[in-house]
Amino acid sequence: MKDEICRSCIDCAVTRCDNHTSNRPYPAFCVSKQVSDAQRKASLQQYLTDEEDRKLAQVAAGIESDGYRKWPRVQETILFAKRMGYHKIGIATCVALIRESRTLAKMLRANGFEVFGVGCKTGEIFKTALGIDAAHQGPGPVACNPVLQAQLLNEAGTELNIVMGLCVGHDSLFYKHAQAVTTTLVVKDRVLVHNPVMALYTADGYYSNLMEPLEDE
């Protein structure tokens, strides 16, 4: 017998939290209805007492409203940075996306930003030095180094970092060690041309195998 699934927002088809004019009832497992008054007040208090969090929330909502279905994410990112009053932007890029990152830097500089970018192979640490075994040396011997990327952008004093196609897990390390606010512009997917959501859209067809337990190769 399979373990009982703990239902949450990802199992909801109602989203009353987003549409209060709906007559559909909240599902029994609705997370929003389970949030205590203390939890709700604590989250609100965070916005009210932390000036940066409040401004981030206000500017993000403004970008969403003003650019809804009109602005591509690149434009949203540039205008978000402008409205936040940032000056120095960091780009944490995969070396395979240097060309795209160079174009992004040109756009940012055209809008008056100072830009400093760090590629994932900067520092040229070999995988063997990280204890990565011989079977996992591909596609090359030099390791991605998101910790150093974060450290160098921290030292550069960036106010906003933009992630450009860091690998799964490497992006996690970057987020963990970066000090500045970070947003993601490109999510790496080598198979689906950096459009990972396509695997979700085709889960009933081409990628139906992902609906079953995967064999770890």
Side-chain angles (χ1 to χ4, degrees):
M1 180 178 178
K2 292 184 178 180
D3 293 335
E4 184 177 350
I5 295 175
C6 179
R7 302 292 179 184
S8 60
C9 293
I10 54 175
D11 302 296
C12 180
V14 180
T15 59
R16 272 291 300 273
C17 59
D18 185 49
N19 183 9
H20 282 204
T21 63
S22 172
N23 293 321
R24 299 177 67 184
Y26 291 96
F29 58 82
C30 178
V31 174
S32 187
K33 300 299 287 184
Q34 296 172 25
V35 171
S36 68
D37 287 341
Q39 289 174 310
R40 187 176 289 105
K41 289 177 180 177
S43 64
L44 176 59
Q45 193 66 15
Q46 179 65 31
Y47 296 113
L48 297 180
T49 58
D50 189 298
E51 184 177 347
E52 182 183 39
D53 286 352
R54 183 170 64 253
K55 185 174 182 180
L56 283 165
Q58 292 171 345
V59 171
I63 292 294
E64 177 189 19
S65 178
D66 295 341
Y68 197 69
R69 296 185 178 181
K70 295 187 295 184
W71 300 341
R73 191 176 176 100
V74 172
Q75 186 172 352
E76 288 185 332
T77 301
I78 293 172
L79 292 176
F80 171 77
K82 282 191 171 188
R83 293 185 185 184
M84 284 300 299
Y86 296 140
H87 173 67
K88 193 164 189 177
I89 311 295
I91 298 178
T93 183
C94 170
V95 294
L97 275 83
I98 289 290
R99 179 179 178 181
E100 292 84 349
S101 293
R102 186 181 301 117
T103 299
L104 173 62
K106 289 178 181 178
M107 292 177 175
L108 291 168
R109 286 167 177 155
N111 280 275
F113 296 104
E114 181 181 352
V115 185
F116 186 73
V118 182
C120 61
K121 304 293 186 178
T122 299
E124 300 176 60
I125 292 178
F126 287 92
K127 293 178 180 177
T128 51
L130 296 178
I132 298 171
D133 59 39
H136 295 92
Q137 294 296 305
V142 178
C144 292
N145 195 346
V147 171
L148 182 58
Q149 285 180 289
Q151 290 173 342
L152 293 175
L153 291 179
N154 293 343
E155 292 174 7
T158 58
E159 299 164 286
L160 173 69
N161 294 324
I162 301 175
V163 168
M164 291 287 288
L166 299 187
C167 300
V168 171
H170 293 149
D171 54 0
S172 303
L173 279 165
F174 180 82
Y175 300 137
K176 179 179 179 180
H177 292 277
Q179 294 175 353
V181 172
T182 299
T183 188
T184 300
L185 183 60
V186 177
V187 178
K188 176 176 286 174
D189 192 318
R190 300 176 183 88
V191 174
L192 297 177
V193 199
H194 309 313
N195 183 23
V197 75
M198 188 55 66
L200 307 180
Y201 291 147
T202 58
D204 292 330
Y206 194 76
Y207 283 102
S208 59
N209 64 303
L210 298 179
M211 301 300 289
E212 302 293 335
L214 297 176
E215 293 289 338
D216 193 0
E217 299 178 358

